[in-house]
Structures are given as C-alpha cells and as structure tokens.
Amino acid sequence: AVVSTQSGHYGRGCITCITQPKLALLLKEYVMNMRLKRSGLPDLSMWDAETKRFLMVEVKGPGDTIRYNQKSWMKFLVGIGIDAELCNVHPISSKRLTTS
C-alpha cells in the first residue's frame, strides 16, 4: 500500500490502524512510566491502511539480544491488542554483496 505524507495522510493512516483507544493506552503507559519506558519501544511501526493492520517489530541482528525494557514493551503492546513481533535477522553470506 502506498502512503502519502501530504496533508497529514501519513499520520491519519497510522492512527486509523492502531485505533485511538490503543494509542491512548500506549501514550499513557509511556507518560506514567517514563523513567522505565523511555527506551525499548520496537524499532519499526508498520501499518496497512487498506487492511487496517498495525504491527510493531523489534529487529535483532546476529549477536544482539532483546533487553528487559524491550521485552516489557512487547508484553505491554500485546496485552493491549497491538500486534508486536521479534524479527531475528541472519546473514545469508559472509561475502560482501556487489552491485553491477
């Protein structure tokens, strides 16, 4: 799906997919526990305005592990009905990719 950043369509599409009640719960959690929750939100927020699907993804590369605050955010997000996933990235080759 193509998302337009003109005239605020980008933000409205996100809010439509996450829904205002879930966004309010997410922001409340952040504000009420700012000291503990100021870091650890997943790396990616993705949505499809056509299907109204919203997903937050924590990305981990080789040798990277999920931290306590990241686990805490993931548990909270799932608990309020926001899809959240952990994506482990693995290298496909030790050779350097070249472009032609």
Side-chain angles (χ1 to χ4, degrees), residues 8-52:
H9 294 296
Y10 184 78
R12 277 194 300 250
C14 172
I15 291 170
T16 299
C17 294
I18 194 173
T19 73
Q20 290 179 1
K22 290 178 186 176
L23 180 59
L25 289 170
L26 190 153
L27 294 174
K28 180 180 178 183
E29 178 70 10
Y30 180 77
V31 171
M32 298 302 289
N33 298 298
M34 194 175 289
R35 201 179 86 144
L36 298 172
K37 299 282 185 156
R38 66 178 172 231
S39 65
L41 270 171
D43 299 311
L44 303 174
S45 297
M46 305 183 311
W47 61 91
D48 184 332
E50 290 177 18
T51 63
K52 305 286 190 250

Side-chain angles (χ1 to χ4, degrees), residues 29-85:
E29 178 70 10
Y30 180 77
V31 171
M32 298 302 289
N33 298 298
M34 194 175 289
R35 201 179 86 144
L36 298 172
K37 299 282 185 156
R38 66 178 172 231
S39 65
L41 270 171
D43 299 311
L44 303 174
S45 297
M46 305 183 311
W47 61 91
D48 184 332
E50 290 177 18
T51 63
K52 305 286 190 250
R53 179 149 193 251
F54 185 86
L55 172 67
M56 297 187 85
V57 181
E58 178 61 38
V59 180
K60 293 295 175 190
D64 200 4
T65 58
I66 192 164
R67 296 184 316 270
Y68 172 80
N69 58 341
Q70 293 169 321
K71 286 181 188 177
S72 176
W73 267 116
M74 298 285 276
K75 183 177 178 179
F76 173 78
L77 293 168
V78 170
I80 65 169
I82 295 176
D83 290 336
E85 296 180 3

